[in-house]
Amino acid sequence: MSDRFAGTFFDGISGHAHAVELRRVGLSHYALEGEGIQRGGKLVDLSITPRLARVARTIEFADGARLLLADDPAIDAWFAQRGRLEATVDRLERHAHAIAAAAIVCVATLVAGAQWGLPWLADRIAEQIPPAAERSLGDQVLGSLDRLGLGASTLDADRRNVLAARFAKLAKLAQGAPGGADYRVEFRNAPGIGANAFALPGGTVVVTDQLVNLLGDDREFDAVVAHEIGHQQHRHAIRQTLRTSFVAIVAAFFAGDVSSASAVVVAIPTFLLDNHYSRAFEEEADSYAFDLLARHDESPHWFAEAMRLLESQHPDRRRGREPAYLSSHPATFDRIDEAEAAARAFAAAHPDLCPAGVCPGEGDSDEETECEDCDDDDASPGSNDSQSLSCDKSTDI
Amino acid sequence: MEEAITVAPEAPPPLPPALPPTIGPTRTEYPFEFGGNAREYFRIWVVNLALSIVTLGIYSAWAKVRTERYFYGNTTLAGVPFEYLAKPWPILKGRIIAVILFGSYVLAGQFSIKLQLAAAGAIALLTPWLIVRGAAFRARYSSWRGLTFRFVPDYAEAYVRYLLLGIPMVLSLGLMYPFVKAKQKAFFVEHHRYGGRWFTFRATPGQFYPPYLIAGAVIVAWMFVVSILAGVIAAMFIGPTHAAPPAWFIYAFVVPVYGGYFAIWAFLAAALANIVYNNADLGQHRFRSTLKGHRLLWIYVGNTLAILVSVGFLIPWAKVRLARYRAESLRVLAAGDLADFRTESKDDVGAAAAEMDGLFDIDIGL
């Protein structure tokens, strides 16, 4: 063990450096000698900065003088029992296993934060957004969507009125739940997007003409808008937007640049078109839709029918092609299975509506009859999956 | 111009010991050198982070001290390292106060917007005071050659430059922004002391205008170019069908716009830092800063990409890389002996203000 250290001494009064040598005298005393410097005293009167990488150690004298020594762990033997916390940290920093453990703690925290913390915080922020603000955000988004290629609906007015009335019935049934926002439906012609429906922030549901034309039975329309109302009831649009743009918003907040937070408005249309609801949100909206349909005395079977029609538009998305947990959408077939299970439960609960477990309009798809303009809701049987549309875009439903 | 000869607000500084009145002193160049490396700092950084997480943030005060000590201790001038002397406990106390303040601001928002606005107003009113206390704290605990720096508070002037000057700046639609920035930098430089001497600032507000005007002109030109390009590309790919442009197109439009801002900002930051350092004197000693916008941009772009790709694990590498470039771009043009400094009388400065600056992210980087 070394008992001499060469160092650079500053007296704390002038900036002049003195080359010196520090020597231990006995167990508890030191002597410092060098260019014009002659000091000595007790070690307990000195303090030393904790070890840190290769950074020079500094011994501080009571009068403010400082002695800089090159990094050498041997000096710590002179100052036993000092700065034990930082000595421990220093040992961790030099230990490969400790570094690995620290990295694991950081990664685990990052993953947990992204998995639970971020959605939780985003939801707390969503709660703070007043309905009026959400509504105006929704209007801005609709404006953007219109600029991006949604056109005025080409459906005839009677048809739209019939569907809007069906939507209104479901929306009324959905009221009373938290929020109770007044929901409205907008029809748009969107050849570039195809059969689709979106729940915008603030209660507006957009349904494309292409979707209306694709769906045969109006109860399928009910099923699809019930799903979108489910998104509305749970405020999925604003919550998902906040989740996906949360990092940007936090960054904007701390950078004090409020204008970049408005980039969120730009982000929402692309998010809606890109089909990015989380699995959990889709499942939540689905089960809300099954429940709402049942309260409306309609079988969730119609949701399965609508999903089959939409599925027929994406010939490349097949069961088992992608593991369900990798997909942002629950695999469509799983959702159809869920809908059919809900339909069986509905049939069991409504023997009056569904004698022998078969509700009106249900049956083998072979027996389906074509009915393109079914204004007579409950009696209209069958669905139409012979529609052919050139669109092969994915859908948000 | 009036800034160049500001009279010291307090007692005249102790005169440096008999410097010969030279007209063109021969100067010796001393480069700043940064000797840290990413591998070493990664270990400190990752342990700091993990311990801060495990202790729910309490360790962050110790983490801050270790980080500062690492960067100070690896920065040398004329062979002598800098030292960061602050202790963790005052920093922890400061952080607790800052968290309470910030928490009450957030909590105020739960009750009423008015209350939160009042809280925001109070924080705005506190800002100049916080800037002064933060600068004083940092100076007090920054040491070189066994002598600490000092920031001499002048609250009245701080309120003028960091708050009141905001009014004419807004009224002039931002045209006075470079002037206000110049005044703030001058304030910051001229209230620092080291080794018994004042820092002085020779730059005039007029010198701050060209970088800002050039940056503004380039932004306008860039927006113009990008809009035209976007229009042409949209016309080529999407055609007159009025179909929705694909999502990638919107991103493809946003990326060059923000990329352009980023690049202009890097050049502006380099130009401003050069103006500040090249016009700051300490006694007869001068500084020379040779930051290059394109190199700074290269470093920022590389750092950003590395941090994103590595989910944060290359942050230490990025910080070390930036510190190294900053150090190698800065040198002291010494007129006479760099050891020729004397001690200051010491005032103790509470740590709270320094930590509150950190939390509310008031960047006052010199």
Side-chain angles (χ1 to χ4, degrees), chain A residues 42-124:
Chain A
K42 289 182 185 165
L43 280 173
V44 287
D45 295 334
L46 306 183
S47 65
I48 184 164
T49 54
R51 196 170 179 219
L52 173 73
R54 292 169 296 115
V55 169
R57 306 293 292 277
T58 305
I59 290 177
E60 296 163 320
F61 294 81
D63 64 352
R66 304 175 79 75
L67 171 64
L68 270 63
L69 302 172
D71 174 49
D72 185 344
I75 190 77
D76 284 312
W78 294 23
F79 300 94
Q81 311 299 318
R82 305 271 187 96
R84 270 183 293 182
L85 169 68
E86 297 207 51
T88 309
V89 173
D90 179 67
R91 271 199 295 283
L92 292 178
E93 285 166 1
R94 292 170 197 277
H95 201 287
H97 291 170
I99 298 299
I104 288 167
V105 168
C106 294
V107 169
T109 309
L110 192 72
V111 169
Q115 185 73 35
W116 297 292
L118 211 134
W120 182 85
L121 261 175
D123 284 357
R124 298 290 82 69

Coordinates of all heavy atoms in Angstrom, one line a residue, chain A residues 42-124:
Chain A
K42 N -3.7 16.5 11.3 CA -4.4 15.2 11.4 C -5.3 14.9 10.2 O -5.9 15.8 9.6 CB -5.4 15.4 12.7 CG -4.7 15.4 14.0 CD -5.7 15.5 15.1 CE -5.1 15.6 16.4 NZ -6.0 16.1 17.5
L43 N -5.3 13.6 9.9 CA -6.1 13.2 8.7 C -7.6 13.5 8.9 O -8.3 13.8 8.0 CB -5.9 11.7 8.5 CG -4.6 11.3 7.7 CD1 -4.5 9.8 7.7 CD2 -4.6 11.9 6.3
V44 N -8.1 13.5 10.2 CA -9.5 13.7 10.4 C -10.0 15.1 10.0 O -11.1 15.3 9.9 CB -9.9 13.4 11.9 CG1 -9.9 11.9 12.2 CG2 -9.1 14.2 12.8
D45 N -9.0 16.0 10.0 CA -9.3 17.4 9.6 C -9.5 17.6 8.1 O -9.9 18.6 7.6 CB -8.3 18.4 10.1 CG -8.3 18.4 11.6 OD1 -9.3 18.1 12.2 OD2 -7.2 18.7 12.2
L46 N -9.1 16.5 7.3 CA -9.2 16.6 5.9 C -10.5 15.9 5.4 O -11.0 15.0 6.1 CB -8.0 15.9 5.2 CG -6.6 16.4 5.7 CD1 -5.6 15.7 4.9 CD2 -6.5 17.9 5.5
S47 N -11.0 16.3 4.3 CA -12.0 15.5 3.7 C -11.6 15.3 2.2 O -10.8 16.0 1.6 CB -13.4 16.3 3.7 OG -13.3 17.4 3.0
I48 N -12.2 14.2 1.7 CA -11.8 13.8 0.3 C -13.0 13.6 -0.5 O -14.0 13.1 0.0 CB -10.9 12.6 0.3 CG1 -10.4 12.2 -1.1 CG2 -11.6 11.4 1.0 CD1 -9.2 11.3 -1.1
T49 N -13.0 14.0 -1.8 CA -14.1 13.8 -2.6 C -14.2 12.3 -2.9 O -13.2 11.6 -3.1 CB -14.0 14.6 -3.9 OG1 -12.8 14.2 -4.6 CG2 -14.0 16.1 -3.7
P50 N -15.5 11.8 -3.1 CA -15.7 10.4 -3.3 C -15.1 10.0 -4.7 O -15.0 10.8 -5.6 CB -17.2 10.2 -3.4 CG -17.7 11.4 -2.8 CD -16.8 12.5 -3.0
R51 N -14.7 8.7 -4.8 CA -14.1 8.3 -6.1 C -15.1 8.2 -7.2 O -16.3 7.9 -6.9 CB -13.5 6.9 -5.9 CG -12.6 6.5 -6.9 CD -11.8 5.2 -6.6 NE -10.9 4.8 -7.7 CZ -10.7 3.6 -8.2 NH1 -11.3 2.6 -7.6 NH2 -9.9 3.4 -9.2
L52 N -14.7 8.6 -8.4 CA -15.6 8.7 -9.5 C -14.8 8.5 -10.8 O -14.0 9.3 -11.2 CB -16.4 10.0 -9.5 CG -17.2 10.3 -10.7 CD1 -18.5 9.5 -10.7 CD2 -17.6 11.8 -10.8
A53 N -15.0 7.3 -11.4 CA -14.3 7.0 -12.6 C -12.8 7.3 -12.5 O -12.2 7.0 -11.5 CB -14.9 7.7 -13.8
R54 N -12.3 8.1 -13.5 CA -10.8 8.4 -13.4 C -10.7 9.9 -13.0 O -9.6 10.5 -13.1 CB -10.2 8.2 -14.7 CG -10.0 6.8 -15.2 CD -9.6 6.7 -16.6 NE -10.6 7.3 -17.5 CZ -10.4 8.4 -18.2 NH1 -9.3 9.0 -18.2 NH2 -11.4 8.8 -19.0
V55 N -11.8 10.5 -12.5 CA -11.7 11.9 -12.2 C -10.7 12.1 -11.0 O -10.7 11.3 -10.1 CB -13.1 12.4 -11.8 CG1 -13.1 13.8 -11.1 CG2 -14.0 12.4 -13.0
A56 N -10.0 13.2 -11.1 CA -9.0 13.5 -10.0 C -9.7 13.6 -8.7 O -10.8 14.1 -8.6 CB -8.3 14.8 -10.3
R57 N -9.0 13.1 -7.6 CA -9.5 13.2 -6.3 C -9.1 14.5 -5.7 O -8.0 15.0 -6.0 CB -9.0 12.0 -5.4 CG -9.3 10.7 -6.0 CD -10.7 10.3 -6.0 NE -11.3 10.1 -4.6 CZ -11.2 9.0 -3.9 NH1 -10.5 8.0 -4.4 NH2 -11.7 8.9 -2.7
T58 N -9.9 15.1 -4.9 CA -9.5 16.3 -4.2 C -9.6 16.2 -2.7 O -10.6 15.8 -2.2 CB -10.5 17.5 -4.6 OG1 -10.5 17.6 -6.1 CG2 -10.0 18.8 -4.1
I59 N -8.5 16.5 -2.1 CA -8.5 16.6 -0.6 C -8.7 18.0 -0.2 O -8.0 18.9 -0.7 CB -7.1 16.0 -0.1 CG1 -7.1 14.5 -0.3 CG2 -7.0 16.3 1.4 CD1 -5.8 13.8 0.1
E60 N -9.7 18.2 0.6 CA -10.0 19.6 1.0 C -9.5 19.8 2.4 O -9.7 19.1 3.3 CB -11.5 19.8 1.0 CG -12.1 19.7 -0.4 CD -13.6 19.5 -0.4 OE1 -14.1 18.7 0.5 OE2 -14.3 20.1 -1.3
F61 N -8.8 21.0 2.5 CA -8.3 21.4 3.9 C -9.3 22.3 4.5 O -10.1 22.9 3.8 CB -6.9 22.0 3.7 CG -5.8 21.1 3.2 CD1 -5.7 20.8 1.8 CD2 -4.9 20.5 4.1 CE1 -4.8 20.0 1.3 CE2 -4.0 19.6 3.6 CZ -3.9 19.4 2.2
A62 N -9.2 22.4 5.8 CA -10.2 23.2 6.6 C -10.1 24.6 6.1 O -11.1 25.3 6.2 CB -9.9 23.1 8.1
D63 N -9.0 25.1 5.7 CA -8.9 26.6 5.3 C -9.2 26.8 3.9 O -9.0 28.0 3.4 CB -7.4 27.1 5.6 CG -6.4 26.4 4.8 OD1 -6.8 25.4 4.1 OD2 -5.2 26.8 4.8
G64 N -9.8 25.8 3.2 CA -10.2 26.1 1.8 C -9.1 25.7 0.8 O -9.4 25.8 -0.4
A65 N -8.0 25.3 1.2 CA -6.9 24.9 0.3 C -7.4 23.5 -0.3 O -8.1 22.8 0.3 CB -5.6 24.7 1.0
R66 N -6.9 23.2 -1.5 CA -7.2 22.0 -2.1 C -6.0 21.3 -2.7 O -5.1 21.9 -3.3 CB -8.2 22.3 -3.3 CG -9.5 23.0 -2.8 CD -10.4 23.4 -4.0 NE -11.2 22.2 -4.4 CZ -12.2 21.8 -3.7 NH1 -12.6 22.3 -2.6 NH2 -12.9 20.7 -4.2
L67 N -6.0 20.0 -2.6 CA -5.0 19.2 -3.2 C -5.6 18.2 -4.2 O -6.4 17.4 -3.8 CB -4.2 18.4 -2.1 CG -3.2 17.4 -2.5 CD1 -2.1 18.0 -3.3 CD2 -2.7 16.6 -1.3
L68 N -5.1 18.3 -5.5 CA -5.7 17.4 -6.5 C -4.7 16.2 -6.7 O -3.5 16.4 -6.9 CB -5.8 18.2 -7.8 CG -7.2 18.8 -8.1 CD1 -7.5 19.9 -7.0 CD2 -7.3 19.4 -9.5
L69 N -5.3 15.0 -6.6 CA -4.5 13.8 -6.8 C -5.0 13.0 -7.9 O -6.3 13.0 -8.1 CB -4.5 12.9 -5.5 CG -4.1 13.5 -4.2 CD1 -4.4 12.6 -3.1 CD2 -2.6 13.8 -4.2
A70 N -4.1 12.4 -8.7 CA -4.6 11.5 -9.8 C -5.4 10.4 -9.1 O -5.1 10.0 -7.9 CB -3.4 11.0 -10.6
D71 N -6.4 9.8 -9.8 CA -7.2 8.7 -9.3 C -6.3 7.5 -8.9 O -5.5 7.0 -9.6 CB -8.2 8.3 -10.4 CG -9.0 7.1 -9.9 OD1 -9.5 7.1 -8.8 OD2 -9.1 6.1 -10.7
D72 N -6.5 7.1 -7.6 CA -5.7 6.0 -7.1 C -6.5 5.5 -5.9 O -6.6 6.2 -4.9 CB -4.3 6.4 -6.7 CG -3.5 5.2 -6.2 OD1 -4.1 4.1 -5.9 OD2 -2.3 5.3 -6.1
P73 N -7.1 4.3 -5.9 CA -7.9 3.8 -4.8 C -7.1 3.6 -3.5 O -7.8 3.6 -2.4 CB -8.4 2.4 -5.3 CG -7.5 2.0 -6.4 CD -6.9 3.3 -7.0
A74 N -5.8 3.6 -3.6 CA -5.0 3.4 -2.3 C -5.3 4.5 -1.3 O -5.2 4.3 -0.1 CB -3.5 3.3 -2.7
I75 N -5.6 5.7 -1.8 CA -5.8 6.8 -0.9 C -6.9 6.6 0.1 O -7.0 7.1 1.2 CB -5.9 8.1 -1.7 CG1 -5.9 9.4 -0.7 CG2 -7.3 8.2 -2.4 CD1 -4.5 9.7 -0.3
D76 N -7.9 5.8 -0.4 CA -9.1 5.6 0.4 C -8.8 4.9 1.8 O -9.6 5.0 2.7 CB -10.2 4.8 -0.3 CG -10.9 5.7 -1.4 OD1 -11.3 6.8 -1.0 OD2 -10.9 5.2 -2.5
A77 N -7.7 4.1 1.8 CA -7.3 3.5 3.1 C -7.0 4.5 4.1 O -7.2 4.2 5.3 CB -6.1 2.6 2.8
W78 N -6.7 5.7 3.7 CA -6.4 6.8 4.7 C -7.6 7.4 5.3 O -7.6 8.0 6.4 CB -5.6 7.9 4.0 CG -4.3 7.6 3.5 CD1 -3.8 6.4 3.2 CD2 -3.2 8.6 3.3 NE1 -2.5 6.5 2.8 CE2 -2.1 7.9 2.8 CE3 -3.1 10.0 3.5 CZ2 -0.9 8.5 2.5 CZ3 -1.9 10.6 3.1 CH2 -0.8 9.8 2.7
F79 N -8.7 7.2 4.6 CA -10.0 7.9 5.0 C -11.1 6.8 5.1 O -12.2 7.0 4.6 CB -10.4 8.9 4.0 CG -9.4 10.0 3.7 CD1 -8.4 9.9 2.7 CD2 -9.4 11.1 4.6 CE1 -7.5 10.9 2.6 CE2 -8.5 12.1 4.4 CZ -7.5 12.0 3.4
A80 N -10.8 5.8 5.9 CA -11.8 4.7 6.0 C -13.0 5.3 6.7 O -13.0 6.3 7.4 CB -11.2 3.6 6.9
Q81 N -14.2 4.7 6.4 CA -15.4 5.0 7.0 C -16.0 6.4 6.5 O -16.9 7.0 7.0 CB -15.4 5.1 8.5 CG -14.8 3.9 9.1 CD -15.6 2.6 8.8 OE1 -16.8 2.6 8.8 NE2 -14.9 1.5 8.5
R82 N -15.3 7.0 5.4 CA -15.9 8.2 4.9 C -16.7 7.9 3.6 O -16.3 7.1 2.8 CB -14.7 9.2 4.5 CG -13.8 9.5 5.6 CD -14.2 10.7 6.4 NE -13.1 11.0 7.3 CZ -12.2 11.9 7.1 NH1 -12.3 12.6 6.0 NH2 -11.3 12.2 8.0
G83 N -17.8 8.7 3.5 CA -18.6 8.6 2.2 C -18.9 7.2 1.8 O -18.7 6.8 0.7
R84 N -19.5 6.4 2.7 CA -19.7 5.0 2.4 C -20.7 4.8 1.3 O -20.6 3.9 0.5 CB -20.1 4.2 3.7 CG -18.8 3.7 4.4 CD -19.2 2.9 5.5 NE -19.8 3.7 6.6 CZ -20.2 3.2 7.8 NH1 -20.0 1.9 8.0 NH2 -20.7 4.0 8.7
L85 N -21.7 5.7 1.3 CA -22.8 5.6 0.2 C -22.1 5.7 -1.1 O -22.3 4.8 -2.0 CB -23.8 6.7 0.4 CG -24.8 6.8 -0.8 CD1 -25.7 5.6 -0.9 CD2 -25.7 8.0 -0.6
E86 N -21.3 6.8 -1.3 CA -20.8 7.0 -2.6 C -19.7 6.0 -3.0 O -19.4 5.6 -4.1 CB -20.2 8.4 -2.8 CG -21.4 9.4 -2.6 CD -21.2 10.7 -3.4 OE1 -20.8 10.7 -4.5 OE2 -21.3 11.7 -2.7
A87 N -19.0 5.4 -1.9 CA -18.0 4.4 -2.2 C -18.7 3.2 -2.7 O -18.2 2.5 -3.6 CB -17.3 4.1 -0.9
T88 N -19.9 2.9 -2.1 CA -20.7 1.7 -2.6 C -21.1 1.9 -4.1 O -21.0 1.0 -4.9 CB -21.9 1.5 -1.7 OG1 -21.5 1.5 -0.4 CG2 -22.6 0.2 -2.1
V89 N -21.6 3.1 -4.3 CA -22.0 3.4 -5.7 C -20.9 3.3 -6.7 O -21.0 2.7 -7.8 CB -22.6 4.8 -5.8 CG1 -22.9 5.2 -7.2 CG2 -23.9 4.9 -5.0
D90 N -19.7 3.7 -6.2 CA -18.5 3.7 -7.1 C -18.2 2.2 -7.4 O -17.8 1.8 -8.5 CB -17.3 4.3 -6.4 CG -16.1 4.3 -7.3 OD1 -16.1 4.9 -8.3 OD2 -15.1 3.5 -6.9
R91 N -18.3 1.3 -6.4 CA -18.0 -0.1 -6.6 C -19.1 -0.7 -7.6 O -18.7 -1.4 -8.5 CB -18.1 -0.9 -5.3 CG -16.7 -0.9 -4.6 CD -16.7 -2.0 -3.6 NE -17.6 -1.8 -2.5 CZ -17.4 -1.0 -1.5 NH1 -16.2 -0.2 -1.4 NH2 -18.2 -0.8 -0.5
L92 N -20.3 -0.2 -7.5 CA -21.4 -0.7 -8.4 C -21.0 -0.3 -9.8 O -21.1 -1.1 -10.8 CB -22.7 -0.1 -8.1 CG -23.4 -0.6 -6.8 CD1 -24.7 0.1 -6.6 CD2 -23.6 -2.1 -6.8
E93 N -20.5 0.9 -10.0 CA -20.2 1.5 -11.3 C -19.1 0.7 -12.0 O -18.9 0.7 -13.2 CB -19.9 2.9 -11.2 CG -21.1 3.8 -11.0 CD -20.7 5.2 -10.6 OE1 -19.5 5.6 -10.5 OE2 -21.7 6.0 -10.4
R94 N -18.2 0.0 -11.1 CA -17.1 -0.7 -11.7 C -17.4 -2.2 -11.8 O -16.5 -2.9 -12.2 CB -15.9 -0.5 -10.8 CG -15.4 1.0 -10.8 CD -14.3 1.2 -9.8 NE -14.2 2.7 -9.6 CZ -13.4 3.5 -10.3 NH1 -12.7 3.0 -11.3 NH2 -13.4 4.8 -10.1
H95 N -18.6 -2.6 -11.5 CA -18.9 -4.0 -11.4 C -19.8 -4.4 -12.6 O -20.9 -3.9 -12.7 CB -19.5 -4.3 -10.1 CG -19.5 -5.8 -9.7 ND1 -20.2 -6.7 -10.4 CD2 -18.7 -6.4 -8.8 CE1 -19.9 -7.9 -9.8 NE2 -19.0 -7.7 -8.9
A96 N -19.4 -5.3 -13.4 CA -20.1 -5.7 -14.6 C -21.5 -6.2 -14.3 O -22.5 -5.8 -15.0 CB -19.3 -6.7 -15.5
H97 N -21.7 -7.0 -13.3 CA -23.0 -7.5 -13.0 C -23.9 -6.4 -12.5 O -25.1 -6.4 -12.8 CB -22.9 -8.6 -11.9 CG -22.2 -9.9 -12.4 ND1 -21.8 -10.9 -11.5 CD2 -21.9 -10.2 -13.6 CE1 -21.3 -11.8 -12.3 NE2 -21.3 -11.5 -13.5
A98 N -23.4 -5.5 -11.7 CA -24.2 -4.4 -11.2 C -24.7 -3.5 -12.4 O -25.8 -3.1 -12.4 CB -23.4 -3.5 -10.2
I99 N -23.8 -3.3 -13.4 CA -24.2 -2.6 -14.6 C -25.3 -3.3 -15.3 O -26.3 -2.6 -15.7 CB -23.0 -2.4 -15.5 CG1 -21.8 -1.6 -14.8 CG2 -23.4 -1.7 -16.8 CD1 -22.2 -0.2 -14.4
A100 N -25.2 -4.6 -15.4 CA -26.2 -5.4 -16.1 C -27.5 -5.3 -15.3 O -28.6 -5.1 -15.9 CB -25.8 -6.8 -16.2
A101 N -27.4 -5.4 -14.0 CA -28.7 -5.3 -13.2 C -29.3 -3.9 -13.4 O -30.5 -3.8 -13.5 CB -28.3 -5.6 -11.7
A102 N -28.5 -2.9 -13.3 CA -29.0 -1.5 -13.5 C -29.7 -1.3 -14.8 O -30.7 -0.7 -14.9 CB -27.8 -0.5 -13.3
A103 N -29.0 -1.9 -15.9 CA -29.6 -1.8 -17.2 C -31.0 -2.5 -17.2 O -31.9 -2.0 -17.8 CB -28.7 -2.4 -18.3
I104 N -31.1 -3.7 -16.5 CA -32.3 -4.4 -16.5 C -33.4 -3.6 -15.8 O -34.5 -3.5 -16.3 CB -32.1 -5.8 -15.9 CG1 -31.3 -6.7 -16.8 CG2 -33.5 -6.4 -15.5 CD1 -30.8 -7.9 -16.2
V105 N -33.0 -3.0 -14.7 CA -34.0 -2.1 -14.0 C -34.5 -1.0 -14.9 O -35.7 -0.7 -14.9 CB -33.3 -1.5 -12.7 CG1 -34.2 -0.4 -12.1 CG2 -33.1 -2.6 -11.7
C106 N -33.6 -0.4 -15.6 CA -34.0 0.7 -16.5 C -34.9 0.2 -17.6 O -36.0 0.8 -17.9 CB -32.7 1.4 -17.1 SG -31.7 2.2 -15.9
V107 N -34.5 -0.9 -18.2 CA -35.4 -1.4 -19.3 C -36.7 -1.9 -18.8 O -37.8 -1.5 -19.4 CB -34.7 -2.6 -20.0 CG1 -35.6 -3.4 -20.9 CG2 -33.5 -2.2 -20.8
A108 N -36.8 -2.5 -17.6 CA -38.0 -3.0 -17.0 C -38.9 -1.7 -16.8 O -40.1 -1.8 -17.0 CB -37.8 -3.7 -15.8
T109 N -38.3 -0.7 -16.2 CA -39.1 0.5 -16.0 C -39.6 1.1 -17.2 O -40.8 1.6 -17.3 CB -38.2 1.6 -15.2 OG1 -37.6 0.9 -14.1 CG2 -39.0 2.7 -14.7
L110 N -38.8 1.2 -18.3 CA -39.2 1.7 -19.6 C -40.4 0.9 -20.1 O -41.4 1.5 -20.5 CB -38.0 1.6 -20.5 CG -38.1 2.4 -21.8 CD1 -38.0 3.9 -21.5 CD2 -37.0 2.0 -22.8
V111 N -40.3 -0.4 -20.1 CA -41.3 -1.2 -20.6 C -42.6 -1.1 -19.8 O -43.7 -0.9 -20.4 CB -40.9 -2.7 -20.6 CG1 -42.1 -3.6 -20.9 CG2 -39.8 -2.9 -21.6
A112 N -42.5 -1.1 -18.5 CA -43.7 -0.9 -17.6 C -44.3 0.5 -17.8 O -45.5 0.6 -17.9 CB -43.3 -1.1 -16.1
G113 N -43.4 1.5 -18.0 CA -43.9 2.8 -18.2 C -44.7 2.9 -19.5 O -45.8 3.5 -19.6
A114 N -44.2 2.3 -20.6 CA -44.8 2.3 -21.9 C -46.1 1.5 -21.8 O -47.1 1.8 -22.4 CB -43.9 1.8 -23.0
Q115 N -46.1 0.4 -21.1 CA -47.2 -0.6 -21.0 C -48.4 0.0 -20.2 O -49.5 -0.1 -20.6 CB -46.7 -1.9 -20.5 CG -47.8 -3.0 -20.5 CD -48.0 -3.5 -21.9 OE1 -47.1 -3.6 -22.7 NE2 -49.3 -3.9 -22.2
W116 N -48.0 0.5 -19.0 CA -49.1 0.9 -18.1 C -49.1 2.4 -17.8 O -50.1 3.0 -17.7 CB -49.0 0.1 -16.8 CG -49.2 -1.4 -17.0 CD1 -50.4 -2.0 -17.4 CD2 -48.2 -2.4 -16.9 NE1 -50.2 -3.3 -17.5 CE2 -48.9 -3.6 -17.2 CE3 -46.9 -2.4 -16.5 CZ2 -48.2 -4.8 -17.2 CZ3 -46.3 -3.6 -16.5 CH2 -46.9 -4.8 -16.8
G117 N -47.9 2.9 -17.5 CA -47.8 4.3 -17.1 C -48.2 5.3 -18.1 O -49.0 6.2 -17.8
L118 N -47.8 5.1 -19.3 CA -48.1 6.0 -20.4 C -49.6 6.0 -20.7 O -50.3 7.1 -20.7 CB -47.4 5.6 -21.6 CG -47.0 6.8 -22.6 CD1 -45.5 6.6 -23.0 CD2 -47.8 6.7 -23.8
P119 N -50.3 4.9 -20.9 CA -51.7 4.9 -21.1 C -52.5 5.5 -19.9 O -53.4 6.2 -20.0 CB -52.1 3.4 -21.2 CG -50.8 2.7 -21.7 CD -49.7 3.5 -21.0
W120 N -52.0 5.2 -18.7 CA -52.7 5.7 -17.5 C -52.6 7.3 -17.5 O -53.6 7.9 -17.3 CB -52.0 5.2 -16.2 CG -52.6 5.6 -15.0 CD1 -53.7 5.1 -14.3 CD2 -52.2 6.7 -14.1 NE1 -54.0 5.8 -13.2 CE2 -53.1 6.8 -13.0 CE3 -51.2 7.7 -14.2 CZ2 -53.0 7.8 -12.1 CZ3 -51.1 8.7 -13.3 CH2 -52.0 8.7 -12.2
L121 N -51.4 7.8 -17.7 CA -51.3 9.2 -17.8 C -52.1 9.9 -18.9 O -52.7 10.9 -18.7 CB -49.8 9.6 -18.0 CG -49.0 10.0 -16.7 CD1 -47.5 10.2 -17.1 CD2 -49.6 11.2 -16.1
A122 N -52.1 9.2 -20.1 CA -52.8 9.7 -21.2 C -54.3 9.8 -20.9 O -55.0 10.7 -21.2 CB -52.6 8.9 -22.4
D123 N -54.8 8.7 -20.2 CA -56.2 8.7 -19.8 C -56.5 9.8 -18.8 O -57.6 10.4 -18.8 CB -56.6 7.4 -19.2 CG -56.7 6.3 -20.3 OD1 -56.6 6.7 -21.5 OD2 -57.0 5.1 -20.0
R124 N -55.6 10.1 -17.8 CA -55.8 11.2 -16.9 C -55.9 12.5 -17.6 O -56.7 13.3 -17.3 CB -54.7 11.2 -15.8 CG -54.5 10.0 -15.0 CD -55.6 9.8 -14.0 NE -56.8 9.2 -14.5 CZ -56.9 7.9 -14.9 NH1 -55.8 7.1 -14.8 NH2 -58.0 7.4 -15.4

